Amino acid sequence: MKYISLQNTNYKKTFREAVLQGMAPGNGLFFPEHLPQFDTLFFEKARKLKLHELAAEVLWPYVSDDFSRNEIDAITQEVFSFDIPLKQVEKNIFSLELYHGPTLAFKDVGARFLSRCMQRFAGQTKKRVLVATSGDTGSAVAHGFYNIPNIDVFVLFPKGKVSKLQQKQFSTLGNNIQAIAVGGTFDDCQILVKQALGDEKYRHELGLTSANSINIARWLPQSVYYYWAYLNLPQQFNKLTFAVPSGNLGNLTAGVLAKHSGLAIDRFIAATNANKVIANYLENGEYKPHSSRQTIANAMDVGNPNNFSRMLQFYNRQFNMLSAHIEGASYSDSDILGWMNRCYRNTGYKLDPHGATAYASLKETDLADGEAGVFLETAHPAKFIREIQDKIDYEVDLPEKLVNLMNKKDELVEMEANYDTFKAYLVNQS
Ligand SMILES: *Cc1c(COP(=O)(O)O)cnc(C)c1O
């Protein structure tokens, strides 16, 4: 399997090259040259598989030029080592809980897979991963790469602007993970990372790379849990709708990939918060990016989703075809709070603000007889509701993983948002 650039389809790379490169020139996203097809026989056999075995089957066609079967088996066994339960919330509504990994959010899946791929591709050469974070990505990447030999991770975050819990998640690990508190905003952090990665000679000398969410190795493994949900659904259902809390559309487009490989998904709902570029696009075909708006589902505060071009590619840029498979929905903060409380009152199930948008979209759509609605619960409620606890009718205990974390000591360096300082620091660390 080769990967083409969506900016220039003559530009083709192997999986290995695409992973190490991250993006094609001109900010082109990599996309599989053809889509593997799974047939009925595959799905019959797949029912007997464990999650990590299923992951190896689904991912094998994408990586078979660069990994041996043993390697992908080993990688998927490490990556998919936590549960992804499908819980029935109502008669025809299910929650796919993607938050049982180390940082309690779905990004663990992609970050862990990327780290294992990079480790194998980097071999004996030292790599340094730079990541700017406004909170969630930093922790998933830090944990994904924790203790991976020969790879150091530098997490840049705006000092005093991420939650205490989020900061603890990447600043207490130590070893190969270094947290850097930058005196500035998230954008300042991102600029420092871009400057370093754009510094060709220096990037090469220090083996600098990014763990960006559009990296093909973060994107592809996310399609696995759509198969898993389908296979775990009670068999009386004969139609399936997935509702996906969406920001950059990585998660949603990974589901669309599964559908285009033969998985029987009837439709998708892209559920968003007040950042409704995609919901608007799906309604009227006009794509109007804007700067992001702050909401209580902050991991979805995206005004210009960076996987949009992948979404178009599946439908050859035909809006009519695309909008026949994917619907949009958007919710204000007060809508989200309302649905969180209503869901708890009616079912006892505790949503987080991100999953709540997707749950709401299923409640507001018509589910036919025999149709199941599955929403992706992308984060553990404890991770996000502390900030809005006074507006929620329920409490959520901090999972043990997080309680232990709160007692650990942060280790970080502080730095001004200045490229020369950052560069000198990195050179000094090498
Ligand atoms: C990142 C994130 C999202 C959005 O996922 P995309 O792939 O960017 O659309 C939704 N929920 C949570 C909790 C997240 O961390």
Side-chain angles (χ1 to χ4, degrees), residues 264-328:
I265 301 170
D266 293 280
R267 59 186 172 129
F268 291 93
I269 305 176
T272 65
N273 56 28
N275 294 272
K276 49 181 171 182
V277 185
I278 271 309
N280 287 344
Y281 168 76
L282 290 166
E283 195 158 305
N284 59 25
E286 284 173 40
Y287 184 70
K288 290 201 183 132
H290 56 65
S291 52
S292 67
R293 299 176 187 141
Q294 207 176 342
T295 75
I296 56 170
N298 64 19
M300 292 158 44
D301 292 350
V302 177
N304 189 7
N306 61 16
N307 280 288
F308 185 61
S309 63
R310 282 186 176 138
M311 182 159 139
L312 292 179
Q313 180 69 14
F314 285 110
Y315 297 95
N316 291 321
R317 308 189 155 259
Q318 303 288 306
F319 177 72
N320 289 346
M321 283 157 64
L322 190 153
S323 59
H325 284 176
I326 312 173
E327 295 162 29

Side-chain angles (χ1 to χ4, degrees), residues 104-107 136-137 213 218 222 244-253 297-300 302 305-307 352 354-355 376-380 383-384:
L104 310 180
F106 84 96
K107 289 189 178 71
D136 247 14
T137 302
S213 69
R218 274 188 66 178
Q222 296 174 162
V244 187
S246 295
N248 273 316
L249 299 172
N251 216 1
L252 181 93
T253 49
N298 64 19
M300 292 158 44
V302 177
N306 61 16
N307 280 288
D352 100 296
H354 304 81
L376 274 51
E377 197 19 308
T378 46
H380 191 293
K383 215 178 161 176
F384 288 99

Side-chain angles (χ1 to χ4, degrees), residues 221-260:
Q222 296 174 162
S223 71
V224 170
Y225 39 73
Y226 290 88
Y227 292 82
W228 182 245
Y230 167 84
L231 293 165
N232 282 285
L233 203 62
Q235 298 215 10
Q236 81 250 28
F237 293 102
N238 54 27
K239 273 187 93 178
L240 174 55
T241 290
F242 276 105
V244 187
S246 295
N248 273 316
L249 299 172
N251 216 1
L252 181 93
T253 49
V256 178
L257 174 66
K259 175 175 171 65
H260 286 256

Side-chain angles (χ1 to χ4, degrees), residues 68-89:
S68 68
R69 182 63 205 219
N70 282 343
E71 278 176 308
I72 194 66
D73 288 346
I75 292 172
T76 48
Q77 194 154 8
E78 278 180 49
V79 171
F80 290 87
S81 60
F82 49 86
D83 273 357
I84 301 187
L86 182 71
K87 296 220 174 124
Q88 187 157 20
V89 176

Side-chain angles (χ1 to χ4, degrees), residues 16-29:
R16 180 180 192 280
E17 290 164 334
V19 169
L20 289 174
Q21 216 173 302
M23 247 200 269
N27 294 342
L29 266 59

